[in-house]
Amino acid sequence: MVTISSNLLFAAFILYLVATVFYGGSIKAKKDPNETKKTNKWGSIAVFLTIIGFISQLGYFITRWIAAGHAPVSNMFEFTTFFGMALVGAFIVIYFIYRSTLLGLFTMPIAILVIAYASMFTRDVTPLIPALQSYWLSIHVTTAAIGEAILAISFAAGLIYLVKAIDQTKSNKRTFWLEIVMFALVVVLGFVVVSTAFSAIGYQEKFTWVDKHGNEANLEYTMPALTGPHEGKLLTSDGFKPLVEMPALINAKKLNTVIWSFLAGFVLYGAIRLILRKRIAAALKPMVKNIKLDFVDEISYRSVLIGFPVFTLGALIFAMIWAQEAWSRFWGWDPKEVWALITWLFYAAFLHLRLSKGWHGEKSAWLAVIGFVIIMFNLVAVNLVIAGLHSYAGS
Amino acid sequence: MKDVKCECGHVNPHGTVLCEACGKILDEQETNKQLLDMRYEGSARRSQTYNKTMIDKVWNFFSSVKVGVWLIVITLIASIIGTILPQKMYIDLPPEVYYEQEYGTFGKLYYQLGFDNLYGSWWYLLLIALIGVSLVICSLDRVIPLYKALKAQRVTRHEGFLKRQRVFGVTQNADKSDLAILKQHLVQKHYHVREENGNLLAEKGRFSRWGPYVNHVGLIIVLFGGMLRFVPGMYVNENLWIREGETALVPETGEQFYLHNNQFILQHYDKNKNKKFEKALAKAGNVVKNYQSNVVLYKRTGEKIPGEKPKLEKVKEYKVRVNHPLTFEGYSVYQSSFRSEMNAMRFALTNKKTNQSYGELKINLREPKEKYDLGNGYSVEILNYFPDFEFGKDGEPTTKSRVPNNPAFVFRMYSPEKPKGETSFVAIRQTIEPFGNNTYKMAFRGIETKNVSGFVVRKDSSLWLVILGGILFMIGVVQGAYWNHRRIWVQNKNGEIWIAAHTNKNWYGLKRELEKVLEETNINMPEDQLQREETDKEGV
Amino acid sequence: MKKRRLIIRTVILTILVAAVAYTLYANFMQDHKQKVAVGDQAPDFVLTDMQGTKHRLSDYKGQGVFLNFWGTWCPPCKKEMPYINNQYHQFKDQGVQVLAVDIQESELAVNQFAAHYKLDFPIMIDTNKEVMTTYGVDQLPATFLIDKSGKVVKYHTGEMTENDVREFMEKIKP
C-alpha cells in the first residue's frame, strides 16, 4: 500500500512538471491577447494534466491514509505534501473562476517546489503520539492547509502583478526585492538539489559533541559539515572536517543545511543569470504582457477573500476546539498557535487596507508576498526551529 | 451643522457626500473625480462631522480604520516577539535562571524586558482591549449610516452618479422590448428589481454588506468571553496529582467531588505488532501510544468540613486519556502528565561477616513505622527519616522536601548479640556507621515505585460565549466574503439607455453577469472605466 | 439630536473603558489573590492531633487561635517552632490556642520532630492537603491569626522571630 501510495505521488509530481511546460506553451501560443475566456489547446491540455495529477495525488493521500490508519498529515513530509496538493486544488478552483492559464504557470512551479521540499524529510509512516490521536487531526490540519493554500494563490497572483508592473529597465528597490523573492524560490530548489545529491551518494558523517548543558551527545550529518557542532569530534574517518565550530547555543546541523542550500541557491541563480543575461523577473516579463493588471489584482484579492474564512475555520476555530479537548485549553499561546494568529491578523489587516484606494494594486501585491512569507515561516521555521507543542518530532 | 436638502427633495445628514436617495454629488470636491468613491455609499460618517468635545475626539480616534489597522499591526509584531523564546509557562526552571542559562545575554535581556510573559502582560492585554474598542466604535460608526443610505436609495439616480460609476455605458438605439428582456434576465439571475418611471434598479446580495459587522460582533463576544475569565468562579484551572490507589478532592468544586485513581497506564508502540511503523520506530525508539488513568469519580453526600473523612457516593468510572477528558457538571478532568514515585524500600538485616539475613522489612516511604520486629530477638528501629535527603549547611543530614525522592534513614539495629543496638545511616548507595564498625548492616533489597497521575481540572463558564462568538464570526465572514452586493441601474435619459453597475467586490463576476443579462438585447455592454483609465496610463 | 449623540457616545465609551480597566485590574490582581483574606471568617475544619484528640476550629470560639501551617523539612519552621512553643506556654492560660497543621507527612517524621523540639501544643497532619487547599496556602510556613469571633486578623508567611510570635499572640488574646 505504501509503495502504491508513493508511486502515485511520484506520478502526480511528474504530471505537474509536464503541465507547467504546457502552461508555458499556452501563454506563447495565445493569439488574441484580450481573449481570456477561451483557453487554447495548450492550456486545455495543461489544465487536464493538472487535474489528472491532482487525482493521482489524491490517490496517494487516500492510500497512505489506509496504510497508516490515520490521516497522513502527521509529520513534516505528510503535511507539506498535503499543502502542495491543496495548492494545486486551490489553483484548479480559482482557474475555473477566472480561466487564467498564466496563473497556472506561476502556481504550479510553487506547488512543485513545495512537494519536492516535502520529500526531503523522512517519508516513513509514523505512529501518532496520544495528543494527535483524534479525528480532529484530519479536520483541523486539512482545513488549515487548504486555507493557507488558497491564501497562497494570492501570492502567485501578486507575483504576476509585480512582474508586470515593475519596470525592469532601471534597477531600484522594487526590482531588488522582487528579485529577492525569485532568489528565495531558487534557494528552496537549491536545498532540494543538495539534499537529493548527498542522499543519492549516501553521504554520512558522525560527530560526538557537547551540548549547552555540558552533556556529550552523538550527532549525524548527512551533508559535509561546514559548520561543526560545539566541541565536535569527527568520528567518520574520511569525513569532511568542519570549517567553523559553532557555539553550543546554535544548532550547527540545521545551520549547515541552510548554508548548503544557500550555496546551491547561489550557484543555480548564477547559472540562470548567465543563461538569461537579465534578472529572472525581467525574463518573466514577456510572459505576463497579455494580462491586465486590475484582473490579477482582483484574483489576488479574491483569493484572500476566499481563503480567509477557510483559514480562520481551520487554523483557529477547529484548532481551538481540538486544543480544548486535548490540552484542556482552547488557547495556550503555543508558538504555532501564535503564528496562526499572526497570519490571521496579517490578512485581517490586508482586508481592511483594501478598503482604501491607496492600497490596491502594487502595494496589495507586496502584501500578498509578505503574507506568503508568513505562511511559509509558520510551516518551516515554526515546526523546525521554534519548537513547541506542534513540533514534528525534530525531523 | 445643518442637514442638506438635495434637489431631489431628500434631506441628508450633514457631511453626506452622495445624496442617499438619488446619488447626486453633494460634496464639491467629489465632482472633479472621474469615478466615485462608493465606500459606505458616500454616507455621512458621524465621526467625521463632529469634533468638539473630548468624548468626540476619543470617539473619532477609535473610529478610524487606519487606527484599527495600526493596532492590528502592533499586536502582530508584539506577538512575533513572544515566539522568539519560549514563554514562561512552557519552561520548567525559574525564569531568572532559565533565560540566561539557555540563551545567554540575549535571553537575559529578553527576560528583563518582561517578554517571558508577554501574552499575559498588561500592555499586550491593553492592545487586545484597544482592538476591541476599535471594533465596537468602527462598526457602530459605519453600520448605521450605511443602513440608512441603503434604505433611502431610490431607483432613479442623478446623471452625475451614473456617469461616475466604474461600469457604465450608453446605448442610443434600444427600444422597450430590450428593456423587457433585460428585466426578465435580471429576475432570472435572482435580482430584486424595482421599477420607477421606466427606470430599473436591480439589486442582489445586499445582506453581504452586513457580513463585516456580524463578524465584528462575533469577535467582540469572543473578547467579552475572554474578559469574563477574570471574574472569580468563572474559570478554574488547577493541577491535581493523585497516586495510584488514592482518593483526592477535586479542587474548586466546593468540596463536592472526589477522584480515586485506580491505575495509571503508559503504553508504547510495539515494533513487532505495528509493522507499518517499523522503520519510524527503529529510528525514533520508544514512542508513547497511550497515557491513561483509570479513575472513579465520587460525590460527597451530606455535610462535611475540611479535614473530616467524607461520605462518598460513586458517580462513575472512567478511563481518562489524552483527548478523552472526564467531564461532569461543567468540570473537565484531563490527563496531563504522570510521574513515578518511590513508594517503598526493602532491606534485610544482615550479618556483615556471614552475610546471613535475619529477616526482611519493607518500609512504606510515606508512612514508615517506628519499629519493625523481625522475631527471634531481631528488630530495627528508625531513629530518623529523611525522605529527600541532603547534607545541610552544618553538615547534618536533612531533608529538602516531604517527597521521597532520595530517602535516607538512621537505623538502630537490635540483635541478640547487640541488644543495645547498633546505629547505621543508610541512604541510596551510601552507608555510614557513625559509631564505629557494626556487626550488622541493612542490606538493600529493592525499591517499589508507584505511579502518580497528573490531571488538569478545568471549568470554563464563559466557553459558550466564545463558541457563540466563533460561530457568529464565521457566519459574518462567510456572508461578507462569499457573497457580494451587486446593483445595476438602467435608466432612460433623453431617449438613450444608460446602464451603470456597481459591486462591492468581484468586478469580474459582475461584468460576466452583465454580459449574460444583456444577451439577446441591443443594449451595449457597458465599459469598465477603471480599466480604460489604466490602459491609458500604461499606454499599451 | 446632537446632545443625544454625545450622551450615547459617552455611555458607550464609559462602558468600554470600564471593561478594559476591570480586565487590566483583574489581570493584575490575579497574582495577588488570597483565598482567605484578612477580615474573612476563617473556614472551619476538623483534624486529629498526634494524641488522637479531635480539634475543630469552631470549638475555639471565644479564644484566639494561632493557626500555623508547617513541615518538618522546612528550615524556617524548625527555627520558629520552639518560639511558638515558648509563647504557647505564656499565652495558653490567657485564651490563645495554637494549632499546628503539618502538610502531608508521615506520623514518624512529625512525632520525631515534636519529640526533638519538645513541642506540646496540638499538632495535626493534613493528610490530603484539604485544610491547606481551603486556606489557599502555597508556601510554608504560613500563619493565620484568628480572633475570638473567628475572623482572620492577620496572615503571615515566612519565618517569625520570637518577638513576632509574642506580638501576634498578644493581638488575638481575647
Side-chain angles (χ1 to χ4, degrees):
Chain A
M1 207 56 143
V2 179
T3 331
I4 300 174
S5 174
S6 19
N7 287 341
L8 282 171
L9 179 62
F10 187 67
F13 185 76
I14 300 297
L15 282 163
Y16 293 157
L17 268 178
V18 179
T20 308
V21 175
F22 277 89
Y23 282 118
S26 77
I27 307 300
K28 287 265 157 67
K30 200 164 265 177
K31 272 180 194 157
D32 180 4
N34 288 321
E35 190 65 75
T36 43
K37 268 166 279 171
K38 279 235 173 67
T39 312
N40 60 32
K41 213 174 186 179
W42 286 76
S44 307
I45 294 171
V47 174
F48 178 73
L49 288 174
T50 309
I51 293 172
I52 299 291
F54 183 74
I55 292 169
S56 172
Q57 197 176 358
L58 210 58
Y60 141 82
F61 187 74
I62 293 165
T63 47
R64 192 169 169 102
W65 190 325
I66 295 166
H70 57 80
V73 284
S74 68
N75 58 32
M76 195 67 184
F77 161 71
E78 290 174 343
F79 177 76
T80 314
T81 311
F82 181 79
F83 177 65
M85 180 165 106
L87 201 55
V88 175
F91 162 70
I92 294 173
V93 171
I94 302 282
Y95 174 80
F96 282 105
I97 300 176
Y98 288 106
R99 305 262 168 193
S100 165
T101 52
L102 179 63
L103 189 64
L105 183 63
F106 276 75
T107 312
M108 295 311 285
I110 297 171
I112 289 167
L113 263 185
V114 167
I115 295 169
Y117 173 77
S119 320
M120 297 305 115
F121 295 90
T122 171
R123 272 173 277 180
D124 301 331
V125 177
T126 44
L128 293 183
I129 57 164
L132 292 182
Q133 293 166 13
S134 166
Y135 55 89
W136 283 105
L137 170 70
S138 45
I139 301 174
H140 153 59
V141 182
T142 52
T143 320
I146 292 169
E148 287 180 350
I150 303 172
L151 292 172
I153 296 289
S154 96
F155 162 69
L159 213 53
I160 298 175
Y161 191 101
L162 293 176
V163 167
K164 184 173 173 75
I166 292 175
D167 181 8
Q168 292 285 354
T169 54
K170 45 184 181 274
S171 41
N172 50 27
K173 254 191 340 209
R174 294 151 79 213
T175 55
F176 172 76
W177 283 108
L178 181 58
E179 206 54 16
I180 288 289
V181 175
M182 298 295 170
F183 174 67
L185 294 172
V186 175
V187 171
V188 179
L189 186 64
F191 168 73
V192 172
V193 170
V194 279
S195 301
T196 315
F198 284 123
S199 84
I201 58 170
Y203 192 89
Q204 241 181 25
E205 57 184 36
K206 284 188 179 132
F207 288 91
T208 59
W209 70 295
V210 180
D211 70 12
K212 60 187 167 192
H213 300 295
N215 303 323
E216 192 157 297
N218 287 318
L219 191 62
E220 196 174 294
Y221 274 57
T222 49
M223 295 179 190
L226 302 171
T227 54
H230 182 235
E231 291 178 24
K233 282 196 197 72
L234 187 60
L235 300 179
T236 317
S237 52
D238 54 346
F240 185 86
K241 279 250 158 56
L243 300 178
V244 209
E245 187 186 299
M246 286 291 120
L249 283 176
I250 290 169
N251 187 326
K253 188 184 168 187
K254 282 175 182 168
L255 181 66
N256 188 51
T257 310
V258 171
I259 293 176
W260 269 109
S261 308
F262 268 89
L263 283 179
F266 273 116
V267 171
L268 281 171
Y269 183 78
I272 294 169
R273 285 295 289 263
L274 270 178
I275 299 165
L276 296 175
R277 305 214 159 269
K278 53 182 148 189
R279 290 187 204 101
I280 298 181
L284 289 171
K285 212 170 166 79
M287 303 262 196
V288 299
K289 72 166 187 283
N290 290 331
I291 200 142
K292 288 195 184 97
L293 277 179
D294 77 311
F295 180 65
V296 263
D297 183 49
E298 189 175 323
I299 296 179
S300 178
Y301 178 42
R302 200 81 200 290
S303 316
V304 176
L305 271 178
I306 297 173
F308 187 71
V310 181
F311 178 80
T312 311
L313 190 67
L316 292 174
I317 293 186
F318 288 163
M320 283 156 88
I321 297 174
W322 188 15
Q324 178 73 26
E325 213 171 277
W327 297 325
S328 79
R329 79 291 180 290
F330 59 85
W331 193 262
W333 301 106
D334 174 68
K336 192 83 177 179
E337 287 174 344
V338 177
W339 274 93
L341 178 71
I342 290 167
T343 315
W344 185 80
L345 286 175
F346 179 82
Y347 282 101
F350 176 98
L351 290 173
H352 284 94
L353 284 173
R354 285 291 302 205
L355 289 174
S356 57
K357 274 255 155 57
W359 285 86
H360 288 208
E362 192 176 324
K363 274 188 189 165
S364 170
W366 281 115
L367 286 181
V369 171
I370 297 171
F372 186 69
V373 171
I374 292 177
I375 289 175
M376 283 297 110
F377 186 87
N378 198 355
L379 173 71
V380 179
V382 177
N383 284 344
L384 301 180
V385 183
I386 305 174
L389 295 171
H390 277 82
S391 71
Y392 284 134
S395 44
Chain B
M1 293 291 183
K2 267 185 280 168
D3 290 342
V4 188
K5 191 171 178 182
C6 176
E7 61 183 40
C8 72
H10 184 79
V11 181
N12 294 288
H14 173 79
T16 307
V17 184
L18 305 173
C19 171
E20 290 175 336
C22 74
K24 183 182 187 301
I25 300 165
L26 302 174
D27 186 339
E28 290 293 322
Q29 288 181 339
E30 205 66 16
T31 45
N32 307 324
K33 291 189 185 162
Q34 252 187 324
L35 291 179
L36 287 180
D37 185 357
M38 289 287 285
R39 265 193 304 161
Y40 317 114
E41 302 294 303
S43 57
R45 266 187 42 223
R46 303 290 195 253
S47 64
Q48 293 174 337
T49 52
Y50 302 94
N51 205 356
K52 276 193 170 164
T53 62
M54 196 56 208
I55 293 285
D56 288 327
K57 280 185 178 143
V58 174
W59 184 275
N60 295 350
F61 177 75
F62 283 109
S63 157
S64 150
V65 175
K66 208 165 149 192
V67 170
V69 171
W70 270 112
L71 285 173
I72 293 177
V73 171
I74 295 169
T75 311
L76 191 154
I77 292 167
S79 307
I80 292 178
I81 294 170
T83 62
I84 299 174
L85 296 184
Q87 289 286 295
K88 197 166 80 180
M89 55 232 176
Y90 288 109
I91 61 176
D92 41 17
L93 284 174
E96 59 272 19
V97 180
Y98 175 85
Y99 288 97
E100 195 173 357
Q101 176 190 316
E102 299 285 309
Y103 303 101
T105 321
F106 175 72
K108 195 178 168 188
L109 190 70
Y110 193 84
Y111 171 67
Q112 281 166 347
L113 287 171
F115 293 156
D116 61 311
N117 186 24
L118 191 143
Y119 306 113
S121 66
W122 65 269
W123 57 272
Y124 192 81
L125 210 64
L126 185 67
L127 271 176
I128 304 274
L130 288 182
I131 289 183
V133 173
S134 163
L135 274 171
V136 172
I137 296 181
C138 275
S139 305
L140 276 178
D141 217 35
R142 285 171 177 75
V143 70
I144 297 164
L146 178 67
Y147 174 77
K148 285 188 178 155
L150 284 176
K151 214 178 157 195
Q153 64 174 334
R154 286 191 199 146
V155 175
T156 313
R157 287 295 171 121
H158 195 265
E159 276 184 29
F161 177 86
L162 296 175
K163 269 189 196 160
R164 289 184 181 81
Q165 290 301 318
R166 180 173 156 181
V167 174
F168 173 69
V170 175
T171 308
Q172 248 96 37
N173 42 4
D175 52 34
K176 280 252 161 72
S177 63
D178 287 330
L179 276 183
I181 297 170
L182 175 59
K183 190 180 165 188
Q184 195 196 341
H185 283 171
L186 284 169
V187 172
Q188 275 169 7
K189 288 269 173 199
H190 307 292
Y191 276 87
H192 172 70
V193 184
R194 282 156 69 192
E195 205 167 349
E196 188 184 274
N197 309 328
N199 299 330
L200 297 180
L201 165 56
E203 187 175 8
K204 77 172 173 188
R206 192 199 279 189
F207 80 103
S208 87
R209 294 293 284 267
W210 314 126
Y213 308 105
V214 173
N215 80 45
H216 286 175
V217 169
L219 285 178
I220 291 162
I221 291 176
V222 169
L223 290 179
F224 182 68
M227 197 188 95
L228 281 188
R229 275 193 171 193
F230 292 110
V231 177
M234 290 294 277
Y235 182 65
V236 172
N237 175 24
E238 298 280 339
N239 292 314
L240 175 63
W241 290 91
I242 311 178
R243 246 169 256 113
E244 282 177 326
E246 291 188 8
T247 308
L249 171 71
V250 183
E252 305 285 334
T253 55
E255 273 101 47
Q256 283 282 320
F257 289 98
Y258 288 77
L259 203 62
H260 179 80
N261 182 7
N262 273 330
Q263 196 192 2
F264 174 79
I265 299 169
L266 171 67
Q267 287 170 303
H268 290 97
Y269 283 96
D270 186 344
K271 248 191 286 194
N272 305 315
K273 276 188 199 149
N274 298 282
K275 282 282 175 212
K276 58 190 173 188
F277 302 136
E278 211 176 345
K279 263 198 221 160
L281 286 173
K283 271 185 218 166
N286 269 345
V287 175
V288 176
K289 189 180 181 183
N290 188 21
Y291 298 108
Q292 176 180 326
S293 298
N294 295 347
V295 298
V296 186
L297 178 72
Y298 291 99
K299 191 172 181 175
R300 174 170 60 84
T301 58
E303 285 298 303
K304 172 197 176 276
I305 40 175
E308 205 179 34
K309 210 171 163 54
K311 287 191 198 82
L312 298 178
E313 189 179 65
K314 187 165 156 184
V315 180
K316 62 174 156 184
E317 283 182 33
Y318 194 79
K319 296 179 170 101
V320 185
R321 287 179 292 147
V322 180
N323 271 312
H324 301 273
L326 162 70
T327 53
F328 56 94
E329 293 191 16
Y331 295 91
S332 302
V333 175
Y334 296 85
Q335 173 71 51
S336 90
S337 54
F338 82 99
R339 64 165 187 251
S340 191
E341 232 178 55
M342 273 187 250
N343 183 51
M345 271 177 127
R346 280 180 292 114
F347 294 97
L349 180 65
T350 310
N351 188 310
K352 277 160 78 178
K353 271 199 193 116
T354 61
N355 239 353
Q356 194 185 340
S357 158
Y358 294 92
E360 245 188 56
L361 58 146
K362 182 169 133 183
I363 301 172
N364 181 335
L365 295 173
R366 306 211 64 85
E367 205 52 75
K369 284 196 287 185
E370 217 176 315
K371 200 159 186 180
Y372 295 81
D373 196 355
L374 303 172
N376 302 328
Y378 294 93
S379 69
V380 175
E381 198 184 343
I382 300 180
L383 296 184
N384 252 314
Y385 169 44
F386 309 99
D388 197 357
F389 157 73
E390 67 171 359
F391 280 112
K393 279 180 198 137
D394 49 2
E396 289 289 305
T398 173
T399 181
K400 262 187 287 189
S401 71
R402 61 172 165 269
V403 188
N405 290 326
N406 182 23
F409 303 88
V410 178
F411 290 118
R412 188 121 185 120
M413 305 168 285
Y414 298 95
S415 56
E417 297 103 300
K418 304 267 176 185
K420 280 187 185 159
E422 294 174 309
T423 307
S424 172
F425 174 85
V426 180
I428 291 171
R429 290 191 198 162
Q430 194 178 5
T431 302
I432 297 168
E433 297 177 349
F435 306 115
N437 223 342
N438 290 342
T439 319
Y440 288 90
K441 67 172 180 184
M442 295 295 282
F444 175 72
R445 281 295 159 88
I447 286 180
E448 283 172 25
T449 59
K450 214 173 206 185
N451 286 322
V452 191
S453 295
F455 300 102
V456 166
V457 181
R458 289 273 172 159
K459 184 181 130 185
D460 200 343
S461 305
S462 62
L463 197 60
W464 65 273
L465 261 179
V466 177
I467 295 169
L468 175 75
I471 293 172
L472 260 184
F473 177 81
M474 274 320 293
I475 292 174
V477 82
V478 164
Q479 176 182 348
Y482 293 169
W483 277 271
N484 29 72
H485 179 213
R486 292 175 181 174
R487 272 171 299 173
I488 299 170
W489 294 274
V490 184
Q491 301 205 351
N492 256 310
K493 298 266 179 198
N494 324 318
E496 296 173 337
I497 299 278
W498 286 25
I499 292 194
H502 180 262
T503 180
N504 58 341
K505 59 187 168 287
N506 188 10
W507 291 87
Y508 178 78
L510 175 73
K511 284 183 274 177
R512 299 231 323 189
E513 193 159 71
L514 263 178
E515 281 165 18
K516 283 266 166 59
V517 167
L518 293 175
E519 268 174 15
E520 302 163 36
T521 68
N522 291 321
I523 302 169
N524 303 334
M525 175 67 194
E527 210 181 335
D528 185 342
Q529 304 198 70
L530 186 72
Q531 260 177 19
R532 193 185 59 199
E533 262 180 66
E534 272 181 14
T535 29
D536 290 350
K537 261 188 261 165
E538 270 178 75
V540 179
Chain C
M1 182 68 180
K2 238 167 61 190
K3 198 148 193 196
R4 212 188 67 186
R5 175 166 303 134
L6 186 68
I7 292 168
I8 293 173
R9 284 185 178 182
T10 313
V11 169
I12 293 173
L13 276 177
T14 312
I15 293 171
L16 290 175
V17 168
V20 173
Y22 173 75
T23 312
L24 288 177
Y25 170 78
N27 182 51
F28 180 73
M29 288 312 285
Q30 218 176 12
D31 311 327
H32 309 272
K33 196 171 58 184
Q34 187 55 51
K35 218 167 169 182
V36 177
V38 172
D40 289 356
Q41 196 70 28
D44 201 9
F45 65 87
V46 165
L47 286 172
T48 311
D49 71 14
M50 308 312 286
Q51 279 71 42
T53 321
K54 270 197 177 182
H55 295 265
R56 183 170 178 163
L57 182 67
S58 51
D59 291 344
Y60 293 104
K61 260 220 176 115
Q63 298 184 41
V65 177
F66 187 96
L67 174 61
N68 180 261
F69 292 90
W70 68 289
T72 64
W73 52 272
C74 107
C77 303
K78 286 180 200 166
K79 274 196 173 171
E80 68 181 23
M81 278 312 218
Y83 303 153
I84 297 174
N85 204 38
N86 287 342
Q87 294 306 318
Y88 172 65
H89 290 283
Q90 307 292 320
F91 281 88
K92 71 176 169 185
D93 298 328
Q94 303 177 42
V96 174
Q97 180 64 33
V98 172
L99 297 177
V101 179
D102 173 89
I103 307 303
Q104 237 183 15
E105 281 185 280
S106 60
E107 278 183 35
L108 180 74
V110 174
N111 278 332
Q112 284 179 347
F113 185 92
H116 184 253
Y117 291 101
K118 302 194 178 63
L119 309 175
D120 45 17
F121 48 78
I123 296 175
M124 44 213 86
I125 301 175
D126 186 10
T127 332
N128 38 21
K129 291 195 201 170
E130 262 187 40
V131 179
M132 182 196 181
T133 316
T134 311
Y135 275 80
V137 172
D138 53 0
Q139 272 179 351
L140 298 181
T143 307
F144 286 89
L145 300 179
I146 301 164
D147 70 6
K148 60 180 184 224
S149 61
K151 277 210 173 66
V152 176
V153 191
K154 191 177 168 56
Y155 173 52
H156 181 91
T157 49
E159 201 182 314
M160 290 178 286
T161 62
E162 186 149 8
N163 244 338
D164 291 336
V165 178
R166 188 183 310 121
E167 263 173 45
F168 290 167
M169 292 202 180
E170 197 68 49
K171 224 178 199 168
I172 48 172
K173 203 168 77 180

